[in-house]
Amino acid sequence: MSFISKWAGLLGLLAVLVVGDQIRINRPGHKFRLTVEVTTPDGIKTGSGVLAVVPDRNYNRGGRTTTRGEAVFVDLGQAGAKGKNLVALLAHRQDAKLDFDDINYVALRAYGAARGNRVSFNDIHRQTGVVPVQGDLVPVLVSFGDPKDPKTARLVARDHAEAVLGEGYAIRGITVEVVPNGFWPVDFGGALGEPVTRGIDAKLPWLAARGDPAATALQAAGLPAGGEAREAFARK
């Protein structure tokens, strides 16, 4: 074997090891489908999205478990009003602040509550069935009078949705279901596994605008808006 061939082989092996380690670091620990059902005068409307939870396996995320995915947008139809909708954000309310980390543990805690016992982070991917998301596990809910305008955001109380959405509207239920991780990073659907849901930019087009329109939306809904505002709507 020549000197050049020997080093080419070593570099190839190193590349394989680096790629393999990156897959190990960034592969989701589990994925779950978050589903929101709303009772409307025209029947039940549903929206859902698949989120991926990635535990910290290295220093490159600053010691944080992270979530990939987007807020769940529920199209409620016209029903006599333009663009009725409900959006379940990737954030929870904690007193006067927004918590952007609790979404990482929604499935974990929901299954624990449904099973009546603690579910470990390492075992969550083995859970089956659909379980309810209730109480403090329910993420912040907002609605946009005009989905194209972040300034029209309004906070929706989970027990009094009709106050914003109108008579005949109510939150019927919010659920989670663990779905297969698949063969990340080629989890494109089908046998390869459930991909993370994308496409909220098409429903809330202002998210792609310059500045910080996500902060504008949160402020319009009476919510605190800091540097993490966009994470309430979408995360890579």
Side-chain angles (χ1 to χ4, degrees):
M1 179 182 295
S2 70
F3 178 81
I4 294 177
S5 297
K6 178 179 178 181
W7 278 103
L10 289 174
L11 289 173
L13 177 60
L14 179 61
V16 169
L17 292 174
V18 170
V19 170
D21 193 50
Q22 286 302 304
I23 291 175
R24 176 191 68 82
I25 292 171
N26 291 289
R27 186 176 189 272
H30 66 274
K31 295 179 183 175
F32 67 93
R33 180 179 290 106
L34 180 65
T35 300
V36 181
E37 292 186 338
V38 182
T39 300
T40 80
D42 295 329
I44 297 171
K45 305 293 184 180
T46 303
S48 66
V50 173
L51 302 169
V53 180
V54 184
D56 179 64
R57 300 187 181 99
N58 209 335
Y59 59 87
N60 59 350
R61 277 191 297 275
R64 287 183 61 194
T65 294
T66 58
T67 291
R68 298 178 189 140
E70 298 178 339
V72 175
F73 185 100
V74 188
D75 185 348
L76 302 179
Q78 299 297 316
K82 180 181 179 181
K84 281 188 179 291
N85 55 80
L86 183 73
V87 183
L89 302 182
L90 305 181
H92 289 75
R93 192 81 176 264
Q94 277 197 357
D95 299 323
K97 299 187 299 182
L98 282 183
D99 187 295
F100 294 94
D101 289 331
D102 274 3
I103 194 69
N104 303 329
Y105 310 103
V106 164
L108 183 77
R109 293 166 179 166
Y111 276 94
R115 304 289 192 251
N117 60 279
R118 183 178 178 275
V119 176
S120 74
F121 199 91
N122 291 333
D123 289 334
I124 184 63
H125 69 281
R126 299 188 180 94
Q127 302 302 307
T128 59
V130 179
V131 298
V133 176
Q134 300 173 324
D136 292 340
L137 295 182
V138 175
V140 174
L141 304 172
V142 299
S143 180
F144 291 88
D146 180 354
K148 296 180 180 179
D149 186 354
K151 295 189 295 296
T152 65
R154 298 293 180 268
L155 186 66
V156 176
R158 61 178 178 264
D159 297 327
H160 301 287
E162 72 282 357
V164 172
L165 299 177
E167 186 177 353
Y169 290 84
I171 309 301
R172 185 171 186 265
I174 301 176
T175 60
V176 294
E177 177 187 14
V178 168
V179 299
N181 261 345
F183 297 97
W184 190 90
V186 292
D187 47 353
F188 303 135
L192 295 175
E194 294 271 4
V196 168
T197 303
R198 299 294 182 187
I200 198 168
D201 284 354
K203 298 167 182 174
L204 302 175
W206 46 264
L207 267 175
R210 292 182 178 181
D212 196 357
T216 299
L218 295 181
Q219 289 169 347
L223 297 165
E228 297 177 301
R230 183 177 168 80
E231 289 197 357
F233 296 91
R235 305 185 191 182
K236 296 181 179 180

